Amino acid sequence: MSRTPIVLTVSAVAVLALGAWGIAHWHGQQAPQSGAATAQAAPQETPPASAATPAAAGPRGSGGQATPDAAASQAATAPAGAQAADAGSDPSLQHLAAVPESAALPSSSEWKPGVNYDVISPAQPTTVAPGKVEVLEVFWLACPHCYALEPFIRQWEKTKPSYVDVVRVPIMWGPVHRADARLYYTLEALGREDLVDKAFSYIHGVETQTGTESVLFSNDKQETFKQQQSWAVQNGVKADAFAQAYNSFFVNTQLQQAEETMNAYEVQEVPFIAVDGKFSTSVEKAGSPNKLISLINFLAAWEHAHKQG
């Protein structure tokens, strides 16, 4: 049976600080589903009811011209129907008895629990090797805020600590998100991860002849496949190879695992960052994309030190 993560609120952290200090080790502006709650939740920004078309799939940029420090500080939210938890209840408090008293929360003069990051309880399993620290990013190729954050993540990957492994998972909310996710994993199956950045740019209008956005998506699945295949062929992928990978066991398995990850973390907006299944944060909570990278490094270093004993 899977365990539902509960994000400890500021009030819960305060209780821990005053009483039994210690926590075993979800960015979200909204409280997650199924009783989970986030610290200082802002009013929910809900896209139109249907996520079946690009217009209803969430906030979009204008011609891919989002400014990194501004656009990356926002988040694309889950489709309507993913309701926030009742603000009058705090289920995370019910789990305090299960929190070990032997561990402490990472904190410094700059980074504070419940302010700059949230605690995921219970912690979620990771997919990295023993001794490694997982940094999970849940994203959407058509999200302008993910697109604005992308160059910061890419640059950080070149200098990140060797003990950090980055795991990227596309969001799976609705048809348009799933279509982009299938494209992402098809490129991975083909060994063409280098085309992910091009897909980001193309979808946000940077590499199109008209300079307008193209989500490589249609309400007709076959038309979506044709659009994505045509784009891939234009970028050096053989049509037959793309078709074979598109419906491969690998891609279908990865999509299933992405769905499970999304549900386990109850992701309500992207970009979503989780460090080792225990802490989640965002550009908004950190203050800027550069500060987010610093915060990720801080949380990863703290977690790595604890893994070392």
Side-chain angles (χ1 to χ4, degrees), residues 166-182:
V166 180
V167 176
R168 311 186 78 200
V169 176
I171 197 64
M172 298 281 287
W173 286 327
V176 65
H177 310 97
R178 295 170 189 274
D180 284 348
R182 184 173 288 277

Side-chain angles (χ1 to χ4, degrees), residues 11-246:
S11 59
V13 173
V15 170
L16 286 172
L18 294 175
W21 174 255
I23 272 191
H25 329 321
W26 192 47
H27 159 61
Q29 294 175 340
Q30 297 82 36
Q33 307 174 47
S34 305
T38 44
Q40 298 177 330
Q44 183 171 9
E45 178 186 359
T46 306
S50 172
T53 63
R60 294 293 307 277
S62 176
Q65 302 300 313
T67 303
D69 281 335
S73 66
Q74 303 299 319
T77 52
Q83 300 298 326
D86 184 356
S89 63
D90 191 356
S92 60
L93 294 177
Q94 302 170 13
H95 290 65
L96 292 181
V99 174
E101 299 182 8
S102 59
L105 289 172
S107 181
S108 71
S109 59
E110 186 175 10
W111 309 121
K112 303 297 181 185
V115 177
N116 305 116
Y117 71 88
D118 295 315
V119 179
I120 301 169
S121 180
Q124 294 299 298
T126 63
T127 59
V128 297
K132 294 281 190 174
V133 175
E134 178 186 270
V135 173
L136 171 73
E137 181 197 11
V138 183
F139 70 100
W140 176 34
L141 288 174
C143 166
H145 321 299
C146 301
Y147 179 60
L149 182 60
E150 183 70 5
F152 295 91
I153 295 293
R154 290 300 191 185
Q155 182 60 37
W156 169 69
E157 285 185 300
K158 298 176 182 178
T159 61
K160 67 175 180 62
S162 60
Y163 55 78
V164 170
D165 280 351
V166 180
V167 176
R168 311 186 78 200
V169 176
I171 197 64
M172 298 281 287
W173 286 327
V176 65
H177 310 97
R178 295 170 189 274
D180 284 348
R182 184 173 288 277
L183 173 61
Y184 174 79
Y185 284 127
T186 298
L187 295 177
E188 184 175 317
L190 291 167
R192 294 301 307 270
E193 291 91 341
D194 59 299
L195 291 183
V196 172
D197 285 341
K198 282 196 172 184
F200 255 123
S201 297
Y202 183 85
I203 288 172
H204 290 277
V206 176
E207 293 189 357
T208 61
Q209 293 181 350
T210 61
T212 57
E213 297 164 337
S214 173
V215 292
L216 296 174
F217 171 80
S218 168
N219 287 326
D220 179 80
K221 290 184 178 181
Q222 187 60 27
E223 180 59 30
T224 295
F225 165 74
K226 289 180 179 180
Q227 288 185 26
Q228 294 186 353
Q229 183 187 47
S230 175
W231 172 84
V233 169
Q234 292 171 23
N235 285 278
V237 177
K238 293 183 178 180
D240 289 345
F242 184 87
Q244 184 175 357
Y246 194 79

Side-chain angles (χ1 to χ4, degrees), residues 248-264:
S248 65
F249 175 79
F250 171 81
V251 169
N252 288 328
T253 299
Q254 293 300 103
L255 289 170
Q256 180 179 348
Q257 291 177 352
E259 182 95 39
E260 292 171 355
T261 297
M262 179 189 72
N263 291 335

